[in-house]
Amino acid sequence: MSCLFCKIIAKEIPVKTVYEDETVFALEDINPQAPVHILIIPRKHISTVLDIGNDDHALIGHMFQVANKIATDKKVAERGFRLVMNCNRESGQTVFHIHLHLLAGRAMHWPPG
Ligand code: AMP
Ligand code: ZN
């Protein structure tokens, strides 16, 4: 198993866990780009957004609901937050196991860099 996020989910690498359930895992990003920067990761290994299949719809929807719960718990939901999922090289994807970035706690720029 060479995937960093599969190793993190298997608890082979210590992280600051924010949330976990049967299908989803959330942790603090090691290199935060905002005061709140959390990664919401499916336990199932899916390499990129392009690999999301017909069986994954409920899982992807659940990732967004977990992001909503974390934003609410962190008290940033009303102020606002950004959810980002990068896909492939030009987007900046570096870990090829899909993950939703939850960014909050500062005003975000648009368009993103
Ligand atoms: P992306 O560039 O969209 O693939 O995002 C990968 C994210 O994983 C980056 O924001 C990294 O800072 C984060 N990351 C990499 N290694 C770790 C780690 N060991 N623990 C927590 N976050 C990590
Ligand atoms: Zn993986």
Side-chain angles (χ1 to χ4, degrees), residues 11-75:
K11 303 206 186 297
E12 291 175 18
I13 297 170
V15 293
K16 291 183 183 165
T17 306
V18 175
Y19 173 90
E20 59 180 316
D21 64 24
E22 283 175 16
T23 58
V24 164
F25 191 92
L27 65 147
E28 290 186 9
D29 196 290
I30 203 168
N31 182 23
Q33 301 301 310
V36 175
H37 188 171
I38 290 161
L39 304 174
I40 297 112
I41 302 172
R43 289 188 188 275
K44 177 181 178 183
H45 180 93
I46 300 172
S47 298
T48 78
V49 169
L50 295 167
D51 302 300
I52 294 170
N54 290 335
D55 293 345
D56 299 322
H57 292 188
L59 175 61
I60 302 303
H62 183 53
M63 288 171 68
F64 279 82
Q65 287 191 307
V66 168
N68 290 346
K69 176 184 163 33
I70 293 169
T72 301
D73 289 349
K74 297 273 183 191
K75 306 201 185 312

Side-chain angles (χ1 to χ4, degrees), residues 2-16:
S2 59
C3 171
L4 174 66
F5 285 171
C6 283
K7 285 181 184 161
I8 285 174
I9 289 161
K11 303 206 186 297
E12 291 175 18
I13 297 170
V15 293
K16 291 183 183 165

